Amino acid sequence: RRRHLHPGGGLGGDPSVIRLAMAGGEKPRLDKAGNLVVGTPGGDVVLQAPRIYQEIKGDRRAITGRYVLQAGNEIGFEVGAFDRNRPLVIDPVLVYSTFLGGSSLEEGVGIAVDAGGNAYILGRTFSANFPVTPGAFQSALSGPSEDLVIVKLNPTGTARLYSTYLGGSAGEEGHAIAIDAAGHAIVTGFTSSTNFPVVAAYQSMNGGSYDAFVAKLNPSGSGLVFSTYLGGSFFDDGRGVATDATGNVYVTGSAGSGNFPLTPGAFRTARFNFSAAVFVTKLSASGALAYSTYLDGSATDIGLGIAVDVGGNAFVVGKTASSNFDKTPGVVQGTFGGTGSLGVGDAFVAKLNAAGSALLYSTYLGGSGDDEGRAIAVDSAGNAYVAGSVWSPSFPTTPGAFQTSRSAAFIPDLFVAKLNPSGSSLVYSTLVGQIFNQLGGFIGGTLAVNGAGNAVVVGRTILSAYPTTADALQPAAPITSNGGSENGFVTMLNATGSALLYSSYLGGGGPDGAHGVALDSAGDAYITGSSWSG
């Protein structure tokens, strides 16, 4: 894990006293790149060559250094000259990367991580031979169309703790995953199956052609705690999911049905017209309906991401083409920015109270073209961080931001913005770089925030057109060998949105894309997506 050395007594600024003890594997060795390699029965575990730096006036200054093998399977550090009046950071990053798939098409769409460092991946598969584990809830593909897959990996990425299909005989798409404190995986998406597996369901039958679903899997992956349809007579889709400290589940998405299940006393219980509305639904830990409401205007509105604070307030991000979308006074942007040639409209950010009965704030976020919010996170102070895609040349940015103007007129940019707890001002708003079509394709859950207020975003980008940092895993676009035109990326912004702490491509010859990101307590990033690269 990352080690911060401060001047003074004790460790005091003397990195030579640090030791890493390695147990349970073969004798450690160093490869030609200076990475530390330890052989295990599950394969090699690799600690990248340490990245050593000092942060001075907001800039990260690299310090030379390397691992040194010591007696007794211990590892030390050799560090070059540094300012002993400032903290020194030695960052040996534990890295693993693995394929997950069968003989057909797979895509990872969302990821979450628990307190023990276990990673939970939600994906979709067309493979009848996707690798599942003994005792899994569903061991076979249920039909000719795609099924969901949910996989739990151990902290080193060397073993599947469970792997299961989830689906009915028609088609499903999963869009988001969350983990509660007990290790239950909660997933949402949509299904056209009339036999999607339901347990302790609020709604046990498909209400129409396509329904949203919410399913909660037990910690061993062997059974469902609850699983329910959530929809009316038309097309409804779950796009984002979150959970609170007591296990309540919050879902948002798109409700095309005028008879979507709603609750008395909810903020909005009727749509404007036949266009799609945002829905926000809260379920108890056992799957009972706590509240369910629309957020709406007279055009198409879709919720794409959701987060919840310690008070049970739900934060929703998405896109709206409505000039009369539900909004509140005194917010960042009270007026609709406009709609471009794509007909998307503006991003929106809304905060709903714990009862689902009132908006604490709701604001547009957009310019005169097409902009959309795709992911959201909330910090302990109640600030909301949102990310999405920007086509508008007039998208609102803040002075001193990393990038304040569009990269090109014909390719969208990624945006990341931080709103204060009342939604009345932007703490920062910045563009980052060109992305491929939309942030993470049609997937939510592409933003995470650490305890220091640094935002991590992932997605797809056009090759050679995205800003990276010199010390990144892949600072330059991978060489294209098969005509791939896109690559994954992972970027961390500093707490003020003024600089990139790191930014890297993630992929091979392409096309590849990163679709989901989660952070553990140490700040390590866990990423899932899709790869066509060998």
Side-chain angles (χ1 to χ4, degrees):
R1 296 302 187 191
R2 183 173 300 171
R3 226 29 221 277
H4 295 258
L5 297 182
H6 295 271
L11 285 179
D14 182 5
S16 66
V17 304
I18 298 175
R19 293 290 185 273
L20 300 179
M22 310 298 289
E26 300 171 0
K27 183 177 178 63
R29 65 188 188 276
L30 297 176
D31 64 17
K32 291 181 179 179
N35 301 314
L36 181 67
V37 183
V38 183
T40 75
D44 286 345
V45 175
V46 180
L47 283 163
Q48 281 188 333
R51 297 174 185 175
I52 305 172
Y53 61 89
Q54 292 182 299
E55 290 189 0
I56 300 174
K57 296 182 178 180
D59 293 326
R60 181 177 292 186
R61 183 172 299 174
I63 307 295
T64 59
R66 65 186 184 92
Y67 289 118
V68 178
L69 298 179
Q70 306 284 358
N73 284 3
E74 291 187 349
I75 297 93
F77 297 94
E78 181 181 284
V79 179
F82 64 96
D83 184 347
R84 294 182 178 270
N85 295 313
R86 299 178 183 273
L88 176 73
V89 180
I90 300 175
D91 193 357
V93 183
L94 178 65
V95 171
Y96 69 78
S97 183
T98 180
F99 288 112
L100 290 172
S103 56
S104 189
L105 175 69
E106 278 82 30
E107 185 173 35
V109 299
I111 193 165
V113 60
D114 65 20
N118 302 297
Y120 301 71
I121 299 98
L122 170 66
R124 59 175 182 149
T125 182
F126 289 86
S127 298
N129 61 343
F130 188 89
V132 295
T133 49
F137 168 71
Q138 183 178 324
S139 59
L141 190 71
S142 58
S145 298
E146 63 192 291
D147 270 359
L148 312 179
V149 285
I150 306 167
V151 180
K152 180 180 179 181
L153 292 176
N154 70 355
T156 60
T158 55
R160 292 182 297 272
L161 301 182
Y162 69 71
S163 179
T164 183
Y165 290 100
L166 182 64
S169 56
E172 284 80 30
E173 281 194 20
H175 287 152
I177 185 169
I179 300 297
D180 68 15
H184 300 99
I186 303 104
V187 297
T188 192
F190 74 83
T191 177
S192 59
S193 300
T194 57
N195 61 343
F196 187 84
V198 293
V199 172
Y202 164 76
Q203 181 182 330
S204 59
M205 298 181 65
N206 191 318
S209 54
Y210 292 88
D211 271 7
F213 67 83
V214 186
K216 180 178 179 178
L217 197 65
N218 69 12
S220 66
S222 61
L224 292 170
V225 178
F226 73 80
S227 179
T228 184
Y229 292 102
L230 191 64
S233 54
F234 198 53
F235 189 108
D236 308 301
D237 185 8
R239 305 299 290 265
V241 66
T243 183
D244 64 21
T246 58
N248 297 303
V249 176
Y250 302 75
V251 186
T252 192
S254 169
S257 300
N259 59 343
F260 188 88
L262 304 169
T263 52
F267 169 71
R268 177 179 287 281
T269 56
R271 293 190 307 169
F272 271 90
N273 53 31
F274 294 106
S275 297
V278 178
F279 76 82
V280 185
T281 300
K282 177 181 177 181
L283 301 167
S284 73
S286 60
L289 197 64
Y291 71 70
S292 188
T293 183
Y294 291 126
L295 300 177
D296 198 18
S298 55
T300 298
D301 313 304
I302 300 175
L304 293 171
I306 192 166
V308 60
D309 67 13
V310 293
N313 303 302
F315 294 72
V316 184
V317 70
K319 57 184 177 180
T320 174
S322 301
S323 60
N324 59 346
F325 186 76
D326 290 319
K327 55 187 179 292
T328 55
V331 291
V332 168
Q333 183 180 331
T335 304
F336 184 60
T339 301
S341 60
L342 301 177
V344 172
D346 280 359
F348 74 84
V349 186
K351 179 180 179 181
L352 198 64
N353 71 355
S357 59
L359 283 174
L360 301 180
Y361 72 73
S362 181
T363 183
Y364 292 109
L365 193 61
S368 56
D370 290 309
D371 311 303
E372 59 183 356
R374 291 230 155 229
I376 190 165
V378 179
D379 66 19
S380 59
N383 300 293
Y385 301 72
V386 296
S389 58
V390 171
W391 292 86
S392 296
S394 55
F395 187 86
T397 58
T398 51
F402 170 72
Q403 179 184 326
T404 57
S405 59
R406 287 282 314 283
S407 301
F410 53 90
I411 299 174
D413 277 280
L414 169 69
F415 83 84
V416 182
K418 178 180 177 180
L419 286 77
N420 71 353
S422 65
S424 61
S425 67
L426 290 169
V427 179
Y428 70 76
S429 179
T430 186
L431 307 182
V432 179
Q434 293 173 310
I435 57 176
F436 183 77
N437 192 16
Q438 296 164 327
L439 178 72
F442 291 96
I443 312 300
T446 53
L447 171 74
V449 174
N450 67 16
N454 304 313
V456 180
V457 286
V458 302
R460 285 188 174 108
T461 184
I462 305 299
L463 288 178
S464 304
Y466 191 80
T468 60
T469 51
D471 63 346
L473 176 69
Q474 288 180 287
I479 297 172
T480 302
S481 59
N482 62 350
S485 60
E486 61 200 80
N487 228 265
F489 68 82
V490 53
T491 298
M492 177 184 276
L493 279 162
N494 68 359
T496 60
S498 61
L500 304 181
L501 296 182
Y502 67 72
S503 186
S504 178
Y505 288 97
L506 191 62
D512 306 309
H515 296 157
V517 63
L519 298 178
D520 65 16
S521 59
D524 297 331
Y526 298 67
I527 301 159
T528 192
S530 60
S531 176
W532 292 86
S533 301

